Amino acid sequence: MANKTAKELMSRWEYAKNKPERRNHEETWEEIASLGDPFIGDLSTSKKTPGSKRVKSVLDATMMLANETFVNFLKGTIFPSNMPWLRLEPFSEELASNVEIRRALKAVEDRILATYAGSNFYVQAAQALSSFSLLGNTCFYMEEVNPKYSDSRGSTFGGFMFETVPMNRIWWVTGKGNRVVMVFRKFTLPALEAMKQFENPGSAVINALEKSPMTPVGYLQCVYEREDGFAGALVPAQNKKWASDWICLEGKDHELVRQSGYDFNPFVTPRARIVDGEEYGRWKGHIARPAASGSTEMRRQGLIGLGRVLNPVLSVEHEAVMKLNAGPSGIAVTRVGRKAPEYITPPSDFGAFEFLTNLDRQDIKAVFHGDALDDPETEPRSAEESRQRRERALSKLAAPADVIDYEFLGPIVANTVNMMRRAGDLPELAQLEELGIGVDVTFVSPFFTAQKQAAGQAEDQFVAEALQLATVDPTVVDAIDLAKHTRNKGIRSNATGILRSEEEVAQIQQARAQAQQAAQLQEALRTGADVAKALPQQGA
């Protein structure tokens, strides 16, 4: 049964590797990576000569710098490492203002963010975003660390380990709705490490240990939705929603060395734009590729022309007689017999080269920045102009932020909550679920907070104008619930931690009203006593 499963998985892997769509993508990825991020090269599965250069010469770094700026913006404004960027909210709006529920969810939020901060999440996420921006695809693998190998301080949850898998080591197959239903990951381990990771690492590892414990051994991890109950289905060993089978790629017979499973897909595979039914996406690198190729070629031709100017071709007559003598520093000194030689200076127009190159650079920046991240030509002269400029930037960057939210962060946070809850590290969330209180995840990073503030700008302006009119007619603000306006503004600013619940506000208002009534009664009694003293006494 194990051999049959291994053969079937290897057959499916060959299908995923050799699909024409995959081959076409690999060639495009290679070109985009060489222009935008040469350090993630070798995206093609074609074999290269051992020891050959991995990084090609980059003559124009415009695409690299534009992508770096875009990735830094996304990371710093959508999931910054120095401030909270996710929030848990009850499904019911009535429960959102409950203080006890809010405190329980705040504890869960803090524990999740602390887990991210204690792992390599932010480092690997930035690398994944760079690949995602350029190629339109990335693979973010998340795995729970064994508590005995971590600083979990007695917890049953050992934390996370994240890994951005290069596209030349990951393949996937999609099903209905272009949803990923099967993932293949190829990786290599030293034979000694394979012995630690697998109870049965394969006969090839046993043979390799006799020669050298550091011999690299290739493995294939196959993760797929559980298949049973229909013809041709693979039957996993464990009763999990997602099966995980591990195959040793060494030797003639590929051995199935482990069968395990997951409650969810541990591979987050965001794809930006999927066209024509393809399984792999496209994004900014594909759009900027023509301009980046043009700027690189123009720079190369310009350097060739500049080299000819700096070191021109020597032209002499056919019958000229020249004597060459070695001068200082090995420089050849010519002694002409009849006529002095002439140097050919090419009439190169370097201004035209620079003009065309700048056009390509502007196109590249427009693709990645959308005129929203570039420095403005003039400074805003008023607060209204600054507000309008900020709103335009938010609107232009809303689509990329939504892609990151839906395709990248959403699945990662969902998997995080599931893994930590299963390990018992989120008891507050388990208690709320027992009470039938559902919870939703929202993102409250600076970008989304700014979006909420921009959406509430009209309300703020209306209230400000009403307060100005109230200086003339105080009855103007009678129709406005200022307390609700303050609460809405606090929610938009992500300042809910300092907002009181509606019950607390009602108690404070009731106590204030009682204090005012008591003060009025005391004042009335005091006034009555003063009047009584002022009246003439009877019989006086």
Side-chain angles (χ1 to χ4, degrees):
M1 185 65 183
N3 291 337
K4 181 180 179 181
T5 301
K7 290 181 179 180
E8 175 62 23
L9 289 174
M10 291 296 296
S11 175
R12 297 189 186 189
W13 182 40
E14 291 296 328
Y15 163 79
K17 286 195 304 180
N18 297 321
K19 291 184 67 175
E21 294 85 355
R22 171 71 189 207
R23 292 294 187 183
N24 295 337
H25 274 291
E26 289 174 354
E27 296 178 0
T28 306
W29 293 341
E30 279 281 359
E31 182 180 357
I32 293 175
S34 64
L35 298 170
D37 192 353
F39 304 102
I40 61 170
D42 294 349
L43 293 177
S44 174
T45 55
S46 58
K47 295 183 179 180
K48 295 180 175 58
T49 304
S52 60
K53 292 177 61 176
R54 293 185 64 249
V55 179
K56 299 179 181 179
S57 300
V58 180
L59 302 179
D60 192 349
T62 304
M63 189 170 175
M64 297 173 61
L65 297 176
N67 182 59
E68 189 73 12
T69 302
F70 179 68
V71 170
N72 289 337
F73 165 79
L74 292 178
K75 181 180 179 298
T77 58
I78 297 181
F79 56 102
S81 58
N82 59 344
M83 63 180 64
W85 51 268
L86 66 86
R87 182 178 174 84
L88 301 179
E89 293 284 357
F91 287 148
S92 174
E93 295 182 359
E94 299 178 356
L95 299 176
S97 59
N98 185 286
V99 177
E100 296 300 328
I101 294 178
R102 181 65 257 160
R103 289 175 180 172
L105 294 180
K106 183 66 168 59
V108 175
E109 296 165 7
D110 293 342
R111 197 170 298 115
I112 292 175
L113 292 174
T115 302
Y116 286 151
S119 68
N120 61 341
F121 170 77
Y122 291 103
V123 176
Q124 290 296 314
Q127 182 177 344
L129 280 183
S130 178
S131 174
F132 189 31
S133 170
L134 287 172
L135 309 179
N137 309 273
T138 192
C139 179
F140 202 63
Y141 176 63
M142 52 190 308
E143 181 181 3
E144 182 181 350
V145 179
N146 193 321
K148 69 178 182 179
Y149 296 128
S150 67
D151 186 19
S152 57
R153 300 179 182 178
S155 173
T156 57
F157 179 70
F160 289 112
M161 181 188 68
F162 298 93
E163 178 185 357
T164 300
V165 185
M167 291 304 298
N168 67 330
R169 290 183 172 271
I170 197 78
W171 299 261
W172 57 69
V173 180
T174 58
K176 184 178 180 180
N178 234 330
R179 187 173 60 90
V180 174
V181 296
M182 176 170 283
V183 180
F184 301 94
R185 177 179 69 122
K186 181 182 178 182
F187 63 99
T188 303
L189 290 176
L192 187 62
E193 182 67 16
M195 289 292 296
K196 295 166 56 178
Q197 297 296 328
F198 301 101
E199 295 182 1
N200 177 26
S203 57
V205 175
I206 306 299
N207 298 332
L209 284 175
E210 299 177 356
K211 301 178 181 178
S212 173
M214 303 307 295
T215 301
V217 181
Y219 287 93
L220 181 70
Q221 182 184 9
C222 311
V223 176
Y224 54 95
E225 282 188 318
R226 185 176 181 87
E227 300 177 359
D228 48 7
F230 55 90
L234 294 172
V235 182
Q238 295 190 7
N239 188 20
K240 295 286 186 178
K241 184 176 180 180
W242 287 83
S244 179
D245 295 340
W246 309 71
I247 300 175
C248 180
L249 298 178
E250 306 299 332
K252 295 182 179 180
D253 298 327
H254 300 130
E255 301 177 57
L256 186 65
V257 298
R258 178 193 292 175
Q259 285 188 293
S260 57
Y262 298 93
D263 295 323
F264 51 88
N265 186 2
F267 293 97
V268 178
T269 54
R271 295 159 293 165
R273 298 176 181 175
I274 305 176
V275 297
D276 298 333
E278 294 180 342
E279 296 180 341
Y280 299 92
R282 307 169 187 269
W283 208 10
K284 295 184 177 294
H286 293 78
I287 303 174
R289 181 178 62 157
S293 299
S295 63
T296 299
E297 180 61 22
M298 292 302 297
R299 177 60 66 89
R300 188 179 72 86
Q301 295 292 343
L303 292 176
I304 293 175
L306 182 61
R308 292 173 180 174
V309 171
L310 296 177
N311 186 20
V313 178
L314 182 63
S315 174
V316 297
E317 292 185 359
H318 178 66
E319 297 179 355
V321 178
M322 302 177 60
K323 297 180 180 180
L324 302 178
N325 295 330
S329 304
I331 299 176
V333 180
T334 64
R335 299 182 183 276
V336 185
R338 293 186 298 177
K339 185 177 180 181
E342 296 179 357
Y343 290 92
I344 300 177
T345 303
S348 301
D349 187 357
F350 292 99
F353 278 97
E354 192 65 22
F355 174 76
L356 295 176
T357 304
N358 286 335
L359 290 180
D360 288 332
R361 290 171 179 168
Q362 293 175 8
D363 291 342
I364 295 171
K365 292 180 179 179
V367 170
F368 285 91
H369 301 168
D371 298 332
L373 301 182
D374 290 334
D375 294 331
E377 297 180 358
T378 59
E379 293 295 330
R381 298 183 179 181
S382 64
E384 178 63 19
E385 184 181 355
S386 178
R387 183 189 65 81
Q388 293 178 358
R389 179 174 292 177
R390 184 185 65 177
E391 288 186 359
R392 288 195 298 270
L394 289 175
S395 63
K396 292 177 180 178
L397 293 169
D402 290 339
V403 171
I404 299 300
D405 179 357
Y406 181 78
E407 290 283 343
F408 187 66
L409 286 182
I412 292 175
V413 175
N415 288 355
T416 299
V417 172
N418 289 333
M419 294 175 73
M420 296 182 68
R421 180 176 52 188
R422 183 192 59 193
D425 206 45
L426 300 178
E428 300 89 351
L429 200 59
Q431 293 174 1
L432 292 176
E433 290 182 351
E434 291 178 359
L435 297 175
I437 300 176
V439 176
D440 191 19
V441 178
T442 59
F443 298 107
V444 291
S445 58
F447 180 85
F448 294 106
T449 301
Q451 278 188 322
K452 292 179 181 179
Q453 291 176 344
Q457 192 72 31
E459 179 182 318
D460 296 339
Q461 185 176 358
F462 172 76
V463 174
E465 293 176 355
L467 292 176
Q468 291 179 357
L469 295 176
T471 58
V472 180
D473 183 4
T475 61
V476 173
V477 295
D478 291 344
I480 301 177
D481 189 345
L482 295 178
K484 187 174 182 179
H485 169 68
T486 303
R487 178 174 296 278
N488 291 341
K489 195 166 185 177
I491 294 174
R492 292 197 304 266
S493 303
N494 194 27
T496 54
I498 63 175
L499 293 179
R500 294 188 176 98
S501 65
E502 295 182 358
E503 292 81 0
E504 291 176 323
V505 172
Q507 293 175 2
I508 293 174
Q509 291 176 346
Q510 183 179 2
R512 184 185 297 116
Q514 293 175 353
Q516 290 177 351
Q517 292 177 359
Q520 292 174 357
L521 179 61
Q522 291 292 337
E523 182 65 23
L525 294 175
R526 189 181 302 110
T527 303
D530 294 340
V531 172
K533 290 179 181 180
L535 293 176
Q537 299 293 326
Q538 292 183 357

